[in-house]
Amino acid sequence: MTEATQRFFESLPARARTVLRGPVAGTLQIDLGIDHQTEHWLVRMRPGEAQATRERGPADAIWYSSAALFDRLIAGESQALAALLRNESTFSGDVKLFLAFRRFFPEPPGTRDPREVAREVVGRRS
């Protein structure tokens, strides 16, 4: 496990209030593969709360990713849904948990809110 991965999971409880605003509740097991080993994280989510532990256990959903891909996700260099669609990672279970969890990842560098871009365009036309 990389130090960045450790810090990412440690940061979840503090960031959950702003990230998990919708009615999401459940447990997501995240399996990170590196070499021929798998690291397990269990993330329990409720509105405004998240807890991450180094456990395996009963989960409502399981997401498998390589550790290298996960490092790119936490750096904002890749997108979780795109990686899943490209079959770079696999998922099974309650998809709402995956969709909620991916909001913890940063946006790619240079990404802007489309509403902000639209306001600028409208402002230039005035």
Side-chain angles (χ1 to χ4, degrees):
M1 166 185 50
T2 65
E3 184 179 330
T5 300
Q6 180 73 33
R7 282 194 319 258
F8 173 80
F9 282 108
E10 289 172 353
S11 76
L12 296 184
R15 298 173 49 219
R17 180 162 282 142
T18 58
V19 173
L20 298 176
R21 294 174 298 214
V24 62
T27 304
L28 173 63
Q29 179 176 307
I30 301 171
D31 295 338
L32 302 178
I34 185 165
D35 297 324
H36 296 288
Q37 298 178 4
T38 304
E39 297 176 354
H40 305 283
W41 289 89
L42 201 59
V43 180
R44 292 175 181 89
M45 295 182 279
R46 295 186 334 197
E49 295 180 31
Q51 176 190 19
T53 60
R54 295 293 311 267
E55 298 176 11
R56 249 183 119 168
D60 301 304
I62 300 173
W63 178 30
Y64 174 81
S65 169
S66 69
L69 171 61
F70 199 81
D71 282 344
R72 291 194 311 272
L73 292 170
I74 62 179
E77 297 169 357
S78 192
Q79 295 294 305
L81 188 57
L84 192 63
L85 294 173
R86 285 191 305 264
N87 207 29
E88 292 178 349
S89 65
T90 59
F91 179 83
S92 64
D94 187 351
V95 71
K96 291 180 290 197
L97 297 173
F98 173 78
L99 295 175
F101 183 79
R102 73 186 177 124
R103 288 186 256 154
F104 282 105
F105 296 124
E107 294 293 326
T111 300
R112 296 177 54 202
D113 186 326
R115 295 170 293 194
E116 178 184 315
V117 174
R119 286 183 197 111
E120 289 176 9
V121 169
V122 170
R124 283 187 285 217
R125 290 183 185 166
S126 300

